[in-house]
Amino acid sequence: NPFLRGQAFTKVVFMFPHVGGKMKIHLNRELLQGIFESSQHVLDTEGILIITLCAGQGGTPYETKIRRSDDTWKILEISQDCGFCLVDIGHFPAKQFPEYSQVGYRSLQKGFNIQDSIVHVFQKGDDLPYKPIQDLETIGGYLSTKENKHKNEKNCRQLYPLTHQHHLSFWCDNQISETELQKIGEACLGEVIQQIQTIDRYKDPCSGRTSQTISVVYQSLDHPVGPKRSYHLHYHIFGQSLANVFNVKLR
């Protein structure tokens, strides 16, 4: 739309998005993803995105109608993969809007139940330029500037930050201590890495090389880290940093 091109809005509101029909949960997840991706281009710096869903659809811990995770729209996972933080949440106060009339039940001009529906308020998080550590000599510089490097400029504290656990196996000449691993993680990803633990070791009797498997836990109150983003951080940022610094071979 030529009129909207170049405009920046303080709020984008989408009430009860739905693709229509039944048993199309994957399409509704794609719809949510499209809303988040499109909103990035029209919200101003401090703008908020408001999405209201029927009870149980979003799948957040705030829900009173509990569904299995695979039976929800996974709004937390999708929003954080798109770089948004959930900053507020509450029930839709339908009684305050007596003139509001919702239709679309089974794609018809027919009302649907909005009792216990949830209003989700999102704000765009900082898009931090995470990069792998190149060598041991650069770690000191990364650590000395980490407070500014990983600082949340928007002071955006998100509700219900997701926790992700990934395993990483690699060949190395000598076992790498958890202290050394934590130092690399802190340098390249700051507080996003919550825990690093060695869970398996094996020494090849023929080559003499050591295989080490570690478990890494990712979570952040300040920065959105969805499932896809955590996978990227794990292998392409943290894993590559280990390869650069310790010359390990990722398995």
Side-chain angles (χ1 to χ4, degrees):
N1 189 310
F3 175 77
L4 297 178
R5 188 175 297 119
Q7 297 288 328
F9 297 89
T10 58
K11 291 185 180 72
V12 172
V13 181
F14 206 143
M15 299 294 292
F16 304 106
H18 201 284
V19 298
K22 293 185 64 178
M23 307 303 292
K24 297 180 180 179
I25 197 167
H26 66 291
L27 296 180
N28 285 307
R29 290 173 184 164
E30 291 177 5
L31 174 61
L32 280 184
Q33 181 176 337
I35 293 171
F36 284 111
E37 292 176 347
S38 298
S39 297
Q40 294 182 19
H41 305 296
V42 296
L43 282 172
D44 67 14
T45 305
E46 301 296 328
I48 59 174
L49 169 62
I50 300 174
I51 300 177
T52 303
L53 300 179
C54 291
Q57 288 178 338
T60 71
Y62 191 84
E63 298 278 3
T64 55
K65 182 178 180 180
I66 308 300
R67 297 183 183 178
R68 298 191 323 272
S69 176
D70 61 351
D71 192 34
T72 72
W73 294 14
K74 298 189 174 183
I75 196 169
L76 289 176
E77 288 85 346
I78 294 171
S79 61
Q80 292 189 38
D81 265 338
C82 292
F84 279 84
C85 297
L86 179 67
V87 295
D88 200 5
I89 194 168
H91 290 289
F92 175 55
K95 292 182 179 179
Q96 296 182 23
F97 302 93
E99 72 282 2
Y100 181 75
S101 176
Q102 74 285 352
V103 295
Y105 177 72
R106 296 193 176 180
S107 301
L108 302 173
Q109 289 297 311
K110 185 177 180 181
F112 52 88
N113 183 20
I114 60 173
Q115 182 179 356
D116 295 328
S117 55
I118 307 293
V119 180
H120 308 78
V121 182
F122 297 93
Q123 188 175 19
K124 187 75 170 67
D126 290 329
D127 189 13
L128 297 181
Y130 294 115
K131 295 181 180 179
I133 301 298
Q134 296 302 317
D135 51 53
L136 283 172
E137 294 180 357
T138 62
I139 291 180
Y142 276 89
L143 290 175
S144 65
T145 60
K146 68 175 182 176
E147 290 188 2
N148 292 327
K149 182 173 182 288
H150 303 295
K151 184 179 179 181
N152 182 348
E153 298 292 343
K154 296 182 179 179
N155 294 318
C156 174
R157 300 283 284 184
Q158 64 178 335
L159 304 175
Y160 313 125
L162 298 173
T163 300
H164 311 277
Q165 183 176 22
H166 295 294
H167 292 170
L168 187 67
S169 297
F170 49 85
W171 290 106
C172 52
D173 293 331
N174 298 291
Q175 181 182 327
I176 304 172
S177 71
E178 291 180 2
T179 300
E180 292 175 302
L181 292 169
Q182 193 67 47
K183 187 176 181 180
I184 300 296
E186 184 180 6
C188 64
L189 292 174
E191 50 81 35
V192 174
I193 289 186
Q194 296 289 306
Q195 183 185 60
I196 302 176
Q197 183 178 11
T198 297
I199 59 175
D200 189 45
R201 306 181 188 91
Y202 166 75
K203 189 167 185 177
D204 188 335
C206 298
S207 66
R209 291 190 307 169
T210 297
S211 173
Q212 186 171 347
T213 300
I214 60 175
S215 171
V216 187
V217 177
Y218 298 85
Q219 187 195 72
S220 175
L221 286 171
D222 295 323
H223 307 298
V225 182
K228 293 179 182 178
R229 192 174 190 186
S230 73
Y231 185 89
H232 171 77
L233 296 178
H234 183 64
Y235 287 99
H236 299 288
I237 305 299
F238 181 59
Q240 188 59 51
S241 294
L242 295 181
N244 295 340
V245 173
F246 296 110
N247 198 31
V248 304
K249 183 177 181 181
L250 301 180
R251 296 176 58 187

